[in-house]
Amino acid sequence: MKTFVESTCVGECGHCPPRRGALAVCFVLAGLCLAIPSQAQSLQDYFTNRVTFSSATGDLTGNNSTATVEVGEPKHGGKVGGHSMWISWVAPTNGVVKFETEGSDFDTLLSAYYFNSTNDTTFDKLIEVARADDSEGFDRESEIEFGVLAGHPYEIAVDGYFGATGLLELKWSFEAVDLPPPVVLSMPTDRSANLGDTVSLTVVLTNAANGQYKWYFNGNDLGITTTNLLIPSLQIANVGRYKMRVSIDGPNYFTIPVELQINTDGATDTLARGKLLDSPSSPLIGENGGGASRPAGTISPAGASGAGVVRGYNGSQIFDTTYGTVDTNEPPHCGISGGVSYWLLYQPPTNGTITLDTLGSSYDTVMEAYTYNGALNSYQDLISIACDHNSAGGTNGASRVQFAVVKSRQYIVAVEGVNNARGTAWLNYSLNTNQQPTAPALLSQPTTVTVAQGSPATLAASLAGSPPLCFTWKKYTNAMPGVTAPGIFFPSTTTNDTADYVMTVTNDLGSLSATLPLHVVIPTQCSLTSVSNWLELSFPTMSGQRYYVEEAATITGPWQPWSNFYFGNDQSLVLYLSGDGTRFFRVRIE
């Protein structure tokens, strides 16, 4: 009699040979044990549970929605993730391997690591050999290539950019070579430098003698064939993306791209970024350096200078947007959407008024400045302060904005290319400390708004004050949750809308409250009849409303109000008028 037994196990099933770290479904059929790996478990959440593969090609699918990030786990792709999954891949022989996430339905991050020793098992011992986010030729997918040594394991991590989740696909392919290929030990990182600075980009590799090298700048061959690229004097034409090609007798791969920008304040760690959520990692943080600010106008596109002892007052960030991507979820800056955007986070060294422009850029730009409260997690957190398209003029349509800033707040500037234009962008900044930000102030006292029932009405105060201004409202003493606009619009008023509305406005420097009364009245019907030598004026009244009688000699006025007024009591009011001459009467209700 044949027996059929199914069991699930880790490592082995009965006398089946062990599978390294794999979850297997084991079948015992007529005494023969078959272990079949479970494809759904190929990509693992926990690093210690990762499955090992050694095939030259592979195609895995999974879903990272329930995956986590472990304590001490590195940032894959050099970016913040949130839902990483792992595999381990062993090189079948010396060669070049390529991993990619094309086919995934979310913004992926991808990194490859290795351990120097077989005794190393923890995150802090991992050495990154390749990483990618939004690789060239892809949209939101990633691709990495790197040299590998026969029998050596490499740890591959796929994550979602800033917590992105969904269905993922991880593919790989491999090309063998005869000699041990060069393997990256260290790479230069994205950086800024000043005009005229000497910049050196060096890639350190093992087995360097077994490879040939070539540097590329913005996709163009520079003709430099060493592992070091030297720029003796950094100029505008040098701004952009650099990468080195490693060739091993046919197969080749590119090192991690390095982005080089210019900051005329000499802030080497300040970078404009192609994604909003990357900008906080490389901000322009203003410093007073114990000295005075430089005079406005020190920096201009015609000739920037890094002189001075302060940072964040006057300067330029110069960057290249050739490899920028378009985010369909991004808000339309100044009403213009669909272009490549770069973002720079700015924290001023002191209070003042900042002027930003894009003069010197090689393409038509639109610019918008934002800030945010609390943590920056998405576009929804942005608070728009100012935007512009083309007001600064210039050959390529430069933009300029100006607004008050406070030292304790961070601001984010987006520079977008119109009609998907790309090129070299200048973001010039000039902080005027003689124009200080101001607390909220009323420009005039609010007056009662009186409207007839069914009519539209708007309540808004005339205000001054530096942005961002935060508004809350109350109806009498009752809070109005979700009402945060500078004004309240009533499309069709009712008597229930009659109330005193209290607006409170706050910014970084103070707050104030103002009462804006709204009175909704019901129009009345007047009748005028002749009684002997008198005229009888009568009209119904309503409690809570006041009635004023006005008269004029002609229908066009001028109208003169009577000195007294009448309170409504839900009864009809009858007034007796002299019948001499020709006069016109009307009733005004408040």
Side-chain angles (χ1 to χ4, degrees):
M1 177 178 176
K2 294 182 179 180
T3 60
F4 185 87
V5 179
E6 179 180 341
S7 63
T8 303
C9 59
V10 176
E12 57 183 312
C13 177
H15 61 273
C16 292
R19 293 184 53 83
R20 187 177 178 184
L23 179 66
V25 178
C26 305
F27 297 92
V28 180
L29 182 60
L32 178 63
C33 182
L34 304 175
I36 302 175
S38 174
Q39 185 73 8
Q41 298 296 328
S42 295
L43 287 150
Q44 294 290 323
D45 178 10
Y46 293 105
F47 182 67
T48 54
N49 292 345
R50 64 197 185 282
V51 179
T52 297
F53 297 87
S54 58
S55 57
T57 61
D59 188 346
L60 303 176
T61 58
N63 191 305
N64 73 331
S65 298
T66 60
T68 58
V69 171
E70 299 173 71
V71 175
E73 189 169 339
K75 292 182 179 179
H76 310 303
K79 305 290 182 68
V80 174
H83 299 274
S84 62
M85 303 192 80
W86 294 86
I87 68 165
S88 186
W89 180 80
V90 177
T93 186
N94 296 323
V96 174
V97 68
K98 176 171 68 175
F99 286 86
E100 61 184 52
T101 61
E102 186 177 16
S104 302
D105 65 3
F106 62 95
D107 191 352
T108 60
L109 303 171
L110 184 60
S111 276
Y113 307 87
Y114 64 90
F115 288 117
N116 253 342
S117 168
T118 55
N119 296 323
D120 295 334
T121 59
T122 55
F123 288 133
D124 61 310
K125 300 295 184 181
L126 286 174
I127 299 172
E128 189 177 47
V129 65
R131 69 169 180 263
D133 173 34
D134 301 345
S135 299
E136 296 172 20
F138 290 80
D139 185 12
R140 294 301 189 199
E141 296 86 12
S142 309
E143 178 186 84
I144 54 176
E145 294 180 277
F146 53 98
V148 295
L149 303 177
H152 201 95
Y154 297 86
E155 317 308 334
I156 314 301
V158 184
D159 205 342
Y161 177 75
F162 263 85
T165 59
L167 297 175
L168 67 88
E169 182 174 17
L170 179 65
K171 302 178 183 178
W172 69 88
S173 58
F174 173 77
E175 288 187 81
V177 297
D178 293 331
L179 297 174
V183 176
V184 174
L185 289 177
S186 66
M187 276 285 304
T189 57
D190 297 343
R191 71 179 76 173
S192 287
N194 208 339
L195 279 167
D197 282 355
T198 298
V199 177
S200 178
L201 303 177
T202 301
V203 180
V204 180
L205 310 103
T206 63
N207 307 316
N210 294 339
Q212 299 84 44
Y213 309 100
K214 187 174 289 187
W215 283 92
Y216 288 78
F217 169 61
N218 285 346
N220 300 311
D221 183 359
L222 291 175
I224 298 173
T225 58
T226 62
T227 57
N228 174 260
L229 171 65
L230 181 67
I231 303 173
S233 178
L234 183 65
Q235 301 299 314
I236 308 302
N238 303 126
V239 170
R241 178 176 290 189
Y242 294 81
K243 60 182 181 179
M244 189 182 76
R245 190 183 72 181
V246 182
S247 299
I248 317 102
D249 294 332
N252 61 74
Y253 67 91
F254 284 95
T255 58
I256 301 169
V258 177
E259 190 162 355
L260 189 58
Q261 301 183 7
I262 289 174
N263 179 269
T264 58
D265 269 340
T268 59
D269 52 355
T270 294
L271 293 162
R273 294 296 194 180
K275 288 183 175 180
L276 165 67
L277 297 180
D278 291 338
S279 58
S281 65
S282 54
L284 172 59
I285 299 179
E287 299 174 357
N288 60 29
S293 63
R294 284 172 288 180
T298 298
I299 301 301
S300 68
S305 169
V309 295
V310 292
R311 178 183 295 177
Y313 286 92
N314 299 280
S316 301
Q317 187 77 26
I318 307 167
F319 48 96
D320 185 88
T321 65
T322 299
Y323 294 101
T325 56
V326 177
D327 190 346
T328 55
N329 297 320
E330 188 170 338
H333 306 298
C334 232
I336 299 174
S337 62
V340 172
S341 296
Y342 262 61
W343 304 79
L344 180 69
L345 188 145
Y346 172 70
Q347 183 169 334
T350 188
N351 294 359
T353 295
I354 190 78
T355 300
L356 301 163
D357 67 61
T358 59
L359 284 165
S361 299
S362 66
Y363 60 98
D364 187 5
T365 58
V366 61
M367 177 169 52
E368 187 154 7
Y370 302 88
T371 188
Y372 60 94
N373 297 318
L376 179 63
N377 296 309
S378 68
Y379 293 122
Q380 285 68 40
D381 297 321
L382 294 175
I383 303 169
S384 179
I385 294 179
C387 77
D388 181 58
H389 178 217
N390 287 357
S391 73
T395 304
N396 296 304
S399 302
R400 177 184 287 119
V401 296
Q402 186 178 81
F403 54 93
V405 295
V406 294
K407 181 178 180 179
S408 59
R409 179 172 286 277
Q410 292 184 324
Y411 303 85
I412 298 180
V413 186
V415 177
E416 179 185 352
V418 177
N419 293 326
N420 210 28
R422 305 163 190 247
T424 303
W426 284 72
L427 180 57
N428 311 298
Y429 50 91
S430 178
L431 179 64
N432 185 349
T433 58
N434 293 321
Q435 290 180 262
Q436 289 289 299
T438 58
L442 285 173
L443 298 178
S444 61
Q445 289 298 320
T447 57
T448 300
V449 174
T450 303
V451 295
Q453 180 174 256
S455 300
T458 300
L459 297 180
S462 180
L463 289 168
S466 300
L469 297 172
C470 177
F471 295 87
T472 59
W473 290 83
K474 292 180 180 180
K475 185 176 182 180
Y476 294 120
T477 59
N478 300 316
M480 301 176 67
V483 182
T484 58
I488 303 178
F489 175 67
F490 302 84
S492 179
T493 54
T494 69
T495 54
N496 290 332
D497 295 322
T498 296
D500 286 342
Y501 292 85
V502 181
M503 174 206 69
T504 299
V505 56
T506 305
N507 70 2
D508 295 299
L509 301 173
S511 65
L512 67 82
S513 295
T515 299
L516 289 79
L518 174 65
H519 194 194
V520 181
V521 299
I522 298 177
T524 188
Q525 293 291 327
C526 302
S527 64
L528 188 64
T529 57
S530 176
V531 180
S532 298
N533 294 326
W534 297 89
L535 293 175
E536 184 179 274
L537 174 65
S538 63
F539 50 87
T541 68
M542 182 177 178
S543 295
Q545 297 186 171
R546 289 189 295 182
Y547 299 83
Y548 297 81
V549 177
E550 298 178 349
E551 65 176 88
T554 65
I555 191 67
T556 57
W559 293 89
Q560 298 296 325
W562 290 6
S563 59
N564 58 325
F565 61 87
Y566 306 91
F567 283 109
N569 59 1
D570 296 326
Q571 303 294 321
S572 292
L573 179 67
V574 179
L575 301 173
Y576 293 95
L577 313 173
S578 170
D580 298 335
T582 301
R583 284 176 295 166
F584 295 87
F585 297 90
R586 69 183 185 187
V587 177
R588 178 167 55 88
I589 308 170
E590 291 185 359

